[in-house]
Amino acid sequence: MSPTPPAPIRLGVNVDHVATLRQARGTPYPDPVEAALVSAGAGADSITLHLREDRRHIQDHDLTRLISSSPVPVNLELALDDETLAIASRAAPRFACLVPERREELTTEGGLDVAGNLSAVKDACKELADAGILVALFIDPDPRQLEAALRSGAPHIEIHTGRYCERDGAARETELGAIRRFAADAARAGLEVHAGHGLTAQNVGPIAAIGEIVELNIGHALIARSVFVGLPAAIGEMRRAMLSARNPAETDE
Ligand code: PXP
């Protein structure tokens, strides 16, 4: 009997940093919506964007334009903030991911403390679910957070891979082991498991090889690489790195 093939793995392309470049000059270009269309054409399975409270990159009009024109599902990252939750519910992207947010941070630091904010997380999950949105919680691979996520009503989690990406050698292996065990526990408990943050074509392989993880959300490294090779080629490189780790016997192109 031949072994069961691994579950497919999807790539969500985060277009925030296209907007970062635009906001640096206050020009109308480059447009994250154009980046989304190019990404979808190059094999992105979904488009992710983060509407931050300080609007440092993505603006409200990007969200509405993206939802009306993206050929692939839109995944909105947002904080536990009443105003942003109301915007998300009105815009109704297919997916949303609840993340922690601090004004002074360079990027999202660490996962959401679901265990410490369970009642607010539950309310946010209900509000978003009532708007027809499938919700993920961005959490560290910590069993306490998994237990809380299971009580929150969210159908999906996204594992924060930042610590795995920042470390190397034995410390990276330790993080990878924790992510593997956590993904298996979460999937066994019935959650759909995603992962992201800090992933590059060089470090994505061991994460993509974890069979329970069915989606990766990647932004900074893709947009940075696209400066040199173009966005379609950067996405192609990332997809090949993911797919060859997922199923070493087959490559996609
Ligand atoms: N997933 C989540 C929840 C994030 O907050 C981010 C950063 O916006 C990413 C994935 C993508 O991280 P990176 O830009 O480092 O690929």
Side-chain angles (χ1 to χ4, degrees):
M1 224 168 55
S2 55
T4 321
I9 186 161
R10 305 186 295 264
L11 172 63
V13 171
N14 181 316
V15 295
D16 290 351
H17 296 302
V18 177
T20 301
L21 194 55
R22 177 191 63 191
Q23 297 308 110
R25 277 289 180 94
T27 48
Y29 63 84
D31 183 2
V33 176
E34 187 179 350
L37 299 179
V38 170
S39 299
D45 297 291
S46 56
I47 298 298
T48 295
L49 73 173
H50 185 173
L51 187 68
R52 294 186 73 102
E53 190 200 355
D54 62 11
R55 302 296 194 270
R56 67 173 69 163
H57 40 50
I58 294 294
Q59 307 297 305
D60 299 56
H61 66 84
D62 294 323
L63 174 64
T64 44
R65 288 185 305 123
L66 197 49
I67 287 177
S68 63
S69 60
S70 176
V72 292
V74 172
N75 173 34
L76 175 66
E77 294 176 1
L78 74 162
L80 279 177
D81 153 69
D82 288 345
E83 197 196 320
T84 322
L85 279 163
I87 292 172
S89 298
R90 277 197 304 276
R94 184 75 194 100
F95 302 104
C97 182
L98 290 172
V99 300
E101 210 175 280
R102 282 194 308 117
R103 266 191 179 252
E104 62 276 20
E105 69 192 356
L106 282 178
T107 180
T108 312
E109 291 167 356
L112 183 67
D113 181 10
V114 180
N117 296 282
L118 188 55
S119 144
V121 173
K122 265 187 175 171
D123 290 350
C125 287
K126 179 167 183 329
E127 184 176 339
L128 294 168
D130 286 349
I133 303 167
L134 286 163
V135 183
L137 304 177
F138 184 55
I139 53 178
D140 289 321
D142 165 357
R144 257 182 77 241
Q145 299 299 341
L146 177 56
E147 203 179 298
L150 286 167
R151 294 169 62 197
S152 72
H156 303 167
I157 55 161
E158 180 169 327
I159 303 175
H160 178 237
T161 51
R163 276 207 310 264
Y164 156 81
C165 297
E166 282 161 12
R167 299 190 177 164
D168 45 30
R172 175 174 281 189
E173 284 306 308
T174 302
E175 290 300 329
L176 186 59
I179 292 173
R180 281 199 190 105
R181 287 190 296 279
F182 189 82
D185 289 346
R188 205 175 302 115
L191 295 171
E192 184 174 299
V193 185
H194 309 164
H197 208 281
L199 295 171
T200 67
Q202 288 68 44
N203 67 23
V204 76
I207 298 293
I210 300 173
E212 291 86 357
I213 295 178
V214 297
E215 177 177 307
L216 298 179
N217 286 300
I218 307 181
H220 188 265
L222 280 174
I223 305 307
R225 179 71 178 145
S226 74
V227 171
F228 300 108
V229 300
L231 190 50
I235 290 171
E237 287 173 2
M238 189 64 79
R239 290 188 74 237
R240 280 192 294 280
M242 287 166 55
L243 298 177
S244 62
R246 185 69 156 202
N247 194 346
E250 280 177 34
T251 44
D252 117 285
E253 58 238 286

